[in-house]
C-alpha cells in the first residue's frame, strides 16, 4: 500500500488539508437531508493487514480533515463490554466518545454522525447491547446527543452527536433503517470495481434528485480477499474526485459519502458541494 498521498486517496498518517469548522459556514435552517457530508467506512480500522486496514488517519485527524460521519462496528468481548472489531480487539469505545466530545467542545458549530452497530456476535445479545449503549450515553451526558428519530436542521444539532442507530432497542437517535443506503461492500475481484462504481453513482444521483425529505448514505468502499480496501479506494476515489471536479463545485445534495482512505482534496470537493 505504501505512504501514498494524492488528491483523492491518502494512505499517510496526516491529512494535507484541515477543515475543522466547515459546518459553521452553513445556515442553521439547512436540513441534514440537504447536506453533502464526507464520511469514512470502518472508521477505526486503521491498523492491521492490507485486507483489514481501511483508514490511515486516526479519529481526531478524520474530524480535523472535515469528516463528519463515522462508521463504528462493535462486538462483545469476554468482559461483557463492547469492543471494536479491528485487528487489535482493544476496547476503544469510550475513547470514541471522549475524542468526539472533545472535538465538539472546541468546534461547537459542527455535528458528528455515528453509525453504531453490532458485528460478528457469537450469540444474540441484542437487549444487552442496547442497554450498554444507553449506559455509555448516559455516562457521557445526554446533552451531547440528539435524542429524536426525526431528521433535524443543522441549527438544532450544532455541537452534538447524532447516533444512526443500527440495532434494536430504545430510540437513541435516527434509525439507520430510515436512511436510503448503498452499501455493497463485497467486491469479489478487482475486475468488479466498475460494478461498485455503478452502485455509487446511482445512489448519488438519487440523493441529488430527491425531494430532500430522506437522508442518503453512499458507501464507496469495498473489500474481499480478491480486492483489498486500498485497491478499491484508489480506483473509486479517483472516479469520485473526477466526477465532482467535473461539476466545478456546483451546489448539489449528495447526502453522506463514506469512503476508505479519502484524500483531503476529495473531502473538500464534497464539502464545497454544499
Amino acid at each position: 500500500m505504501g505512504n501514498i498521498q494524492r488528491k483523492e486517496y491518502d494512505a499517510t498518517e496526516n491529512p494535507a488539508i484541515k477543515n475543522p469548522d466547515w459546518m459553521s459556514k452553513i445556515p442553521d435552517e439547512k436540513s441534514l437531508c440537504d447536506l453533502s457530508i464526507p464520511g469514512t467506512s470502518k472508521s477505526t480500522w486503521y491498523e492491521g493487514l492490507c485486507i483489514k486496514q481501511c483508514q490511515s488517519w486516526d479519529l481526531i485527524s478524520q474530524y480535523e480533515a472535515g469528516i463528519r460521519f463515522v462508521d463504528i462496528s462493535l462486538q462483545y468481548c469476554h468482559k461483557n463490554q463492547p469492543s471494536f472489531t479491528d485487528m487489535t480487539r482493544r476496547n476503544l469505545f469510550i475513547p470514541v466518545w471522549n475524542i468526539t466530545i472533545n472535538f465538539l467542545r472546541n468546534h461547537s458549530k459542527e455535528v458528528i454522525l455515528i453509525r453504531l452497530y453490532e458485528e460478528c456476535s457469537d450469540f444474540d445479545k441484542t437487549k444487552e447491547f442496547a442497554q450498554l449503549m444507553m449506559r455509555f450515553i448516559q455516562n457521557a451526558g445526554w446533552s451531547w446527543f440528539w435524542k429524536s428519530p426525526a431528521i433535524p436542521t443543522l441549527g438544532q444539532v450544532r455541537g452534538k452527536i447524532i447516533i444512526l442507530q443500527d440495532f434494536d432497542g430504545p430510540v437513541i437517535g435516527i434509525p439507520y433503517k430510515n436512511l436510503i443506503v448503498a452499501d455493497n461492500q463485497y467486491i469479489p475481484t478487482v475486475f468488479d470495481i466498475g460494478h461498485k462504481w455503478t452502485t455509487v453513482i446511482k445512489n448519488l444521483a438519487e440523493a441529488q434528485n430527491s425531494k430532500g425529505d430522506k437522508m442518503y448514505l453512499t458507501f464507496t468502499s469495498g473489500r474481499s480477499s480478491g480486492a483489498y480496501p486500498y485497491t478499491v479506494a484508489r480506483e473509486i476515489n479517483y472516479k469520485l474526485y473526477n466526477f465532482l471536479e467535473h461539476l466545478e463545485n456546483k451546489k448539489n445534495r449528495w447526502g453522506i459519502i463514506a469512503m476508505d482512505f479519502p484524500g483531503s482534496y476529495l473531502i473538500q470537493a464534497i464539502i464545497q458541494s454544499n
Side-chain angles (χ1 to χ4, degrees):
M1 178 172 56
N3 294 326
I4 299 172
Q5 187 178 69
R6 303 193 312 223
K7 286 186 174 182
E8 78 286 353
Y9 174 90
D10 194 339
T12 67
E13 292 183 0
N14 296 297
I17 302 172
K18 294 186 177 181
N19 196 353
D21 297 294
W22 66 266
M23 284 182 159
S24 66
K25 302 176 180 67
I26 297 176
D28 282 349
E29 61 270 18
K30 274 279 191 180
S31 168
L32 257 64
C33 291
D34 285 330
L35 298 184
S36 298
I37 299 174
T40 50
S41 171
K42 304 294 185 186
S43 304
T44 57
W45 289 30
Y46 39 80
E47 295 178 351
L49 302 174
C50 290
I51 194 171
K52 285 286 187 179
Q53 187 180 359
C54 299
Q55 310 298 332
S56 60
W57 305 337
D58 60 21
L59 210 53
I60 185 62
S61 295
Q62 291 179 35
Y63 291 158
E64 289 176 345
I67 294 297
R68 293 294 175 268
F69 164 87
V70 291
D71 177 51
I72 306 296
S73 57
L74 305 171
Q75 74 172 165
Y76 282 97
C77 69
H78 66 283
K79 293 181 180 178
N80 200 34
Q81 296 280 337
S83 64
F84 283 123
T85 56
D86 62 9
M87 292 297 292
T88 61
R89 291 292 189 268
R90 291 176 299 180
N91 186 3
L92 298 177
F93 186 55
I94 291 176
V96 166
W97 278 169
N98 294 341
I99 290 167
T100 304
I101 289 171
N102 284 337
F103 176 80
L104 292 172
R105 279 197 182 101
N106 296 318
H107 306 279
S108 60
K109 299 290 187 181
E110 306 303 293
V111 57
I112 303 294
L113 297 93
I114 302 181
R115 177 200 178 193
L116 278 180
Y117 61 104
E118 184 183 9
E119 187 174 49
C120 302
S121 286
D122 294 330
F123 47 92
D124 184 14
K125 282 194 170 183
T126 301
K127 183 178 180 181
E128 289 87 346
F129 183 84
Q131 290 172 343
L132 279 169
M133 293 301 100
M134 289 288 289
R135 188 189 313 161
F136 278 123
I137 291 170
Q138 288 168 354
N139 289 342
W142 273 107
S143 62
W144 290 106
F145 297 84
W146 172 250
K147 299 182 284 292
S148 169
I151 297 174
T153 63
L154 187 53
Q156 290 176 297
V157 288
R158 291 195 191 274
K160 292 186 182 292
I161 297 168
I162 300 177
I163 300 297
L164 301 180
Q165 184 178 345
D166 197 6
F167 58 90
D168 294 331
V171 174
I172 57 172
I174 298 174
Y176 186 74
K177 64 183 179 182
N178 291 354
L179 278 65
I180 310 298
V181 181
D183 187 17
N184 179 22
Q185 294 279 322
Y186 178 66
I187 300 177
T189 72
V190 294
F191 302 106
D192 299 292
I193 296 176
H195 176 69
K196 171 68 180 183
W197 173 245
T198 301
T199 66
V200 167
I201 206 70
K202 180 177 181 292
N203 210 52
L204 292 179
E206 288 185 14
Q208 180 187 31
N209 298 317
S210 69
K211 297 178 181 179
D213 57 348
K214 297 285 186 181
M215 189 177 292
Y216 282 75
L217 169 57
T218 304
F219 283 90
T220 66
S221 53
R223 66 195 56 83
S224 76
S225 58
Y228 289 173
Y230 71 85
T231 304
V232 177
R234 284 183 187 177
E235 185 168 335
I236 296 293
N237 291 7
Y238 177 78
K239 290 178 181 293
L240 180 61
Y241 182 73
N242 284 344
F243 172 75
L244 295 173
E245 189 179 41
H246 180 71
L247 296 173
E248 297 179 340
N249 298 325
K250 292 179 181 177
K251 305 305 180 186
N252 280 292
R253 178 199 298 123
W254 302 123
I256 303 166
I257 304 178
M259 304 164 283
D260 285 349
F261 301 105
S264 291
Y265 288 87
L266 174 54
I267 292 171
Q268 300 317 305
I270 296 170
I271 291 171
Q272 289 163 8
S273 298
N274 290 290

